[in-house]
Amino acid sequence: MAARVTIPIDNDHARAICDEIGERLRIWLKRDMPTRLPPRFQQLIEQLAATDHDVAPSIVPSLDDISDSVAPTPAS
């Protein structure tokens, strides 16, 4: 069994890799599949496109949330 090597990458690089794979797949599909896609494949592509535009909620509080939760200290 081959050893699996994991390389930690940040979100920006992961997004760039996914975008590049998607672009190459799009070019390949246009070149090699000039006709309509099979219905199931088309459905999966549309589902992927829909989830690609979803924005995940941030788990990091905004500055407004932080400042609202911190009570000001009285000046002496």
Side-chain angles (χ1 to χ4, degrees):
M1 183 177 235
R4 180 176 288 202
V5 177
T6 59
I7 301 172
I9 58 174
D10 60 37
N11 290 339
D12 291 337
H13 285 96
R15 179 79 257 157
I17 291 168
C18 291
D19 289 346
E20 183 65 24
I21 291 169
E23 184 60 28
R24 290 180 186 202
L25 180 60
R26 192 174 359 268
I27 291 168
W28 178 79
L29 288 173
K30 284 182 182 178
R31 184 187 66 217
D32 293 346
M33 296 183 71
T35 60
R36 289 183 48 93
L37 296 174
R40 177 67 178 144
F41 192 37
Q42 182 64 41
Q43 178 188 8
L44 291 172
I45 294 293
E46 290 168 3
Q47 183 180 354
L48 182 62
T51 59
D52 196 31
H53 298 293
D54 291 344
V55 176
S58 176
I59 61 170
V60 178
S62 69
L63 290 176
D64 293 334
D65 294 338
I66 294 172
S67 63
D68 290 344
S69 66
V70 176
T73 56
S76 303

